[in-house]
Amino acid sequence: MFAKLTFPDSLHPHELDDYLANGWFRMGQTIFTTNFLKFSGIIYSAIWLRIDLSTFEKSKTQQKLEKLNAGFKVVIQPIQFSEKQENLFQKYRNHITFDASPSLENLLFNNGENDVFNTYEVSVYDQEKLIATGFFDLGDNTSAGITCFYDPDYKKHSLGKFLMYQKIDFCKNLGMRYFYPGYFAPGYPLFDYKLDLAKNNLEYLDIHSNNWLSFKHFAKENVPFLIMTQKLKTLSEQLSEIGFEHTFFKYDYFDADLMTNLNGLNLFDFPIFIFCFEVDENNPSPIIVYDIRDHQYHLLLSSSVFRTYADQNVGDHYSTNLLKTIKYLYSSESANIMANVVSMSLIKTV
């Protein structure tokens, strides 16, 4: 699945290593994975990143930040969640322009008491004043950066990036192999700072091969969502040429399985698709998707789990029904073959 969420009762360090290596990440006290994101109604690909600590060396940028912040005290220790940290988080949250968790407690613990992660904190002090804090989780051989926040009054000190380097150095000194900073989203600049942390040691999880590759080989034209869009547009052109009516949709609920109350339903999680025939809420409807993982078009049947609050779809966004895949009917690497199969209305006999 492209989006999945699980609720571990416990988590051994080597299990965290395995999750991270497969493109999963912490969210509160859960572990999730996703390959697509939506910000302000626009869909992006989520590209998971990691830093190879075995070859990591301090950059000039890191050295400059260490010199700039040499007068501050840095403390790294197992998590000691405090009211000071919560207050600092709220000050930071009120200053930023993007959405953030309503509280630090919610971000880390989902407002619960159980902590299944081996979490450490790095805090920066100006004399006795807490001015920045970051959290990260330790596995057996890997670690994951969870969050960083700082006092906006100290913005010129680049404390967010400074905290990231503190985490990386600490984990390298422990002898860990990889540090996972999460994902970035090509075309959405909020996460681009991660690309500058360790340019020569950065790897990304390639969804095409399911392998970690050097980021030096990353190409914007290979962004999964862009490829899926291009492939479906090619098929749409083929269908239009033969006069077959269809609708190209972006699906607003591709990540619905990440919602706690919907988790485990194995919902339809493709971010774009083509409706082949008129939608029938009472019977399965045929849909065509392009799966970047096996490089094939798939004709499938989907059904409505329930009708949403939306009265109608807006533009090319489908939002009136929450969908679930019933079964796969036909697959092909060729847009021409898929168009011919659909145009013969073979699905009507299924």
Side-chain angles (χ1 to χ4, degrees), residues 18-37:
D18 291 340
Y19 273 120
L20 293 172
N22 286 287
W24 290 63
F25 214 72
R26 172 180 177 171
M27 182 166 58
Q29 289 296 296
T30 68
I31 294 282
F32 82 100
T33 186
T34 188
N35 287 278
F36 304 101
L37 309 161

Side-chain angles (χ1 to χ4, degrees), residues 141 277 334:
N141 196 37
F277 300 96
S334 169

Side-chain angles (χ1 to χ4, degrees), residues 50 202-206 209 211-217:
R50 74 181 183 187
L202 190 64
E203 300 178 353
Y204 73 99
L205 184 58
D206 178 49
S209 63
N211 292 321
W212 287 92
L213 305 176
S214 171
F215 196 78
K216 296 176 182 178
H217 303 308

